[in-house]
Amino acid sequence: MVNRIVSSTGSGTAPGGGAGDASGEHGPLWQVARATLDANWEHDHTVPSRTLYPHQWSWDSAFIAIGWAHLRPERAWSELNSLFRAQWRDGRVPHIVFNPLVPSGAYFPGPGFWASAQVEGTPPMVTSGLVQPPVHALAAWHAYRRARSEQGRTMLRRLYPGLVAQQRYLATDRDIGGAGLASIVHPWESGVDNSPAWDAPMSAVPADAASLRGYRRRDTVHAAAAHRPTDLDYARYVAIVTAYRAGGYRDASLPDRHPFLVECPLFNAARGAAEQALAGIAAEIGADPGPHRERAARITEAVLARLYDPQTGTFRPRDLRTNRLTPARTVLGLAPLILTGLPARQVEAVLAEATSDRFGLATRMARPLPSHDRTAADFEPLRYWRGPSWMNINWLVRHGLLAHGRDGLAAGLRASMIELVGTAGCHEYFHPDTGVGLGSPAFSWTAALLLDVLAA
Ligand code: 2M8
């Protein structure tokens, strides 16, 4: 297990000689992150965690590729390539790609539950039928610029059609509300699984914790039950997948038959940022960036029209079952900052929310952003996505701050991220006040994104 901060400096292969490399000020930290990624590397991808998540996860691989770009760029490309080899014919990139060498009971719900082989147009390997936020084009573009090379350009060219197909799937099959936004059909698709953002739509999903008796949860074998979703949450998760699977994971006519349909600000901001990144990639490989720029602008307009509430100055998810914005003010509301075309008024609104007591963003801040509003009655500092701080969300917000020229705030956030992981190690998530590490102690995206923030 690699979660201590080693005290010796050693040699590394980080590019350049800046703060991020193995011989610089943060050398020991760099080595811990590197050792974490090495230990989680699995022939062509990196598992998020050997214990809790022993397969390949979609948005994890994107964040992890960003880290590998600093160490071994060929692994960054392998990470994304192996994921896109599992892309379905309709363009969806599955949220889990199962490793057949891992015992089927090691993770719940495992390969047998998803039964992807019974569906037309699926790849030879077993996968889930859900997706996750499409941060892959952003990651590919970021990784490429961190380690520019001819091999990188070749890989961008190879990935480009899959990245475009991923976006097309979300823009067509998943535009369930018909207004230019993609809907998620399960909280797992948001990546922030049991965020209070989903409490309202989840409460309408018929399920009973007793229905879980036929299954065996594995997460609570490796992590404290009090830090994980409840059995009732899991019963609902299972019920929603069961409904989607029964329809062959098809998206046609979902409003008539599906219990969970939500337009998420982070998910859709990621789509917009993906189009921005694809414009850069297209220009680099000799394709036309124009359509990507246009799509980025349209997605930004739709996010504004559908998810911005001028009364409160916040972005919140829209529940398609009620056609209402969900009430909780979570960190999801800060995600539209990654849209470079976000108008100044909404940039200011997001910054007002981020710098308020709810989230505590500042040029000097003790801790990174929590995942939920600190002042809310249902803020839970220990429970996964209901309060703890996560490196990937903080990385995205920092990316957005830099994109909008808020360098002082971005620097404050960066320093707090380095301090957090430097003290606690590469944990999955962190207590938002004490900084104590929670969940998996050797978590890949924490290590990968730490390397990226150390580098610049
Ligand atoms: C968590 O989600 C999985 C289900 O996909 C789980 O709880 O078993 C989330 O934190 C998700 O964002 C992440 O991709 C995954 C693997 O790290 O774990």
Side-chain angles (χ1 to χ4, degrees):
M1 203 167 289
V2 190
N3 65 337
R4 283 170 303 109
I5 308 305
V6 293
S7 55
S8 64
T9 54
S11 63
T13 53
D21 81 343
S23 57
E25 179 199 347
H26 294 294
L29 194 45
W30 184 274
Q31 295 294 5
V32 170
R34 181 195 182 102
T36 302
L37 284 184
D38 270 331
N40 288 345
W41 174 254
E42 184 63 50
H43 70 279
D44 61 1
H45 67 275
T46 313
V47 296
S49 148
R50 289 268 167 210
T51 53
L52 268 166
Y53 314 110
H55 301 282
Q56 181 173 26
W57 259 259
S58 170
W59 79 329
D60 296 63
S61 278
F63 293 122
I64 291 165
I66 291 171
W68 279 125
H70 294 276
L71 301 171
R72 300 183 61 168
E74 76 284 0
R75 286 193 175 176
W77 301 119
S78 173
E79 190 79 46
L80 290 168
N81 229 358
S82 57
L83 178 69
F84 276 80
R85 273 203 299 272
Q87 187 167 29
W88 289 24
R89 201 188 300 141
D90 63 11
R92 88 183 71 191
V93 175
H95 102 289
I96 307 174
V97 183
F98 289 98
N99 178 350
L101 301 176
V102 171
S104 62
Y107 176 78
F108 172 77
F113 178 84
W114 296 94
S116 64
Q118 291 167 25
V119 180
E120 275 279 297
T122 52
M125 56 290 268
V126 180
T127 75
S128 78
L130 301 175
V131 297
Q132 274 186 325
V135 288
H136 311 82
L138 179 67
W141 184 227
H142 199 81
Y144 174 72
R145 284 181 306 155
R146 288 296 200 203
R148 265 178 205 273
S149 70
E150 208 34 64
Q151 186 215 13
R153 190 172 300 113
T154 304
M155 291 311 303
L156 282 183
R157 202 168 279 128
R158 189 177 296 170
L159 280 168
Y160 180 73
L163 291 166
V164 172
Q166 174 188 33
Q167 290 286 98
R168 194 184 309 120
Y169 166 72
L170 298 174
T172 54
D173 300 35
R174 285 301 187 88
D175 185 359
I176 294 160
L181 293 186
S183 287
I184 56 170
V185 303
H186 194 294
W188 284 338
E189 296 204 311
S190 71
V192 304
D193 306 357
N194 68 332
S195 167
W198 315 132
D199 288 359
M202 278 281 275
S203 66
V205 175
D208 173 353
S211 66
L212 266 195
R213 278 200 208 112
Y215 302 103
R216 194 151 164 247
R217 280 179 71 171
R218 297 297 302 180
D219 57 324
T220 42
V221 172
H222 302 293
H227 301 178
R228 294 284 307 177
T230 64
D231 274 358
L232 181 57
D233 292 327
Y234 257 81
R236 290 187 167 126
Y237 295 153
V238 166
I240 302 170
V241 176
T242 305
Y244 196 37
R245 187 186 60 195
Y249 300 111
R250 280 185 306 275
D251 298 309
S253 70
L254 280 181
D256 305 331
R257 60 185 168 87
H258 198 68
F260 184 97
L261 294 169
V262 179
E263 294 171 347
C264 167
L266 188 152
F267 194 99
N268 282 287
R271 281 179 63 220
E275 292 296 347
Q276 291 157 197
L278 283 167
I281 293 172
E284 192 74 14
I285 64 172
D288 182 3
H292 297 300
R293 291 200 189 106
E294 283 159 26
R295 281 182 215 131
R298 280 207 300 275
I299 293 168
T300 303
E301 280 164 24
V303 167
L304 283 167
R306 300 277 290 173
L307 308 184
Y308 184 66
D309 172 13
Q311 303 293 320
T312 53
T314 57
F315 287 93
R316 283 176 285 130
R318 180 174 292 274
D319 182 352
L320 290 191
R321 308 227 63 93
T322 59
N323 199 24
R324 293 226 174 92
L325 297 183
T326 61
R329 290 167 84 140
T330 72
V331 79
L332 292 173
L334 310 185
L337 207 55
I338 64 175
L339 294 166
T340 50
L342 195 69
R345 175 193 295 223
Q346 280 77 20
V347 169
E348 291 310 323
V350 170
L351 291 179
E353 178 83 348
T355 55
S356 73
D357 288 348
R358 298 174 195 279
F359 295 100
L361 177 68
T363 50
R364 291 173 69 85
M365 53 198 285
R367 297 281 172 226
L369 308 172
S371 44
H372 185 35
D373 172 1
R374 282 175 188 287
T375 67
D378 57 356
F379 177 72
E380 287 187 77
L382 291 172
R383 205 186 290 275
Y384 169 87
W385 296 114
R386 301 184 71 88
S389 304
W390 291 76
M391 278 291 273
N392 65 334
I393 301 291
N394 277 278
W395 185 91
L396 286 169
V397 172
R398 175 174 179 256
H399 178 77
L401 290 168
L402 291 172
H404 291 280
R406 305 303 168 121
D407 294 7
L409 290 172
L413 191 52
R414 171 179 185 263
S416 73
M417 292 162 80
I418 295 172
E419 158 73 19
L420 179 73
V421 186
T423 306
C426 291
H427 280 265
E428 184 181 2
Y429 46 102
F430 304 85
H431 191 295
D433 304 320
T434 65
V436 163
L438 302 166
S440 162
F443 194 66
S444 297
W445 83 38
T446 300
L449 297 176
L450 174 71
L451 289 171
D452 195 59
V453 296
L454 284 175

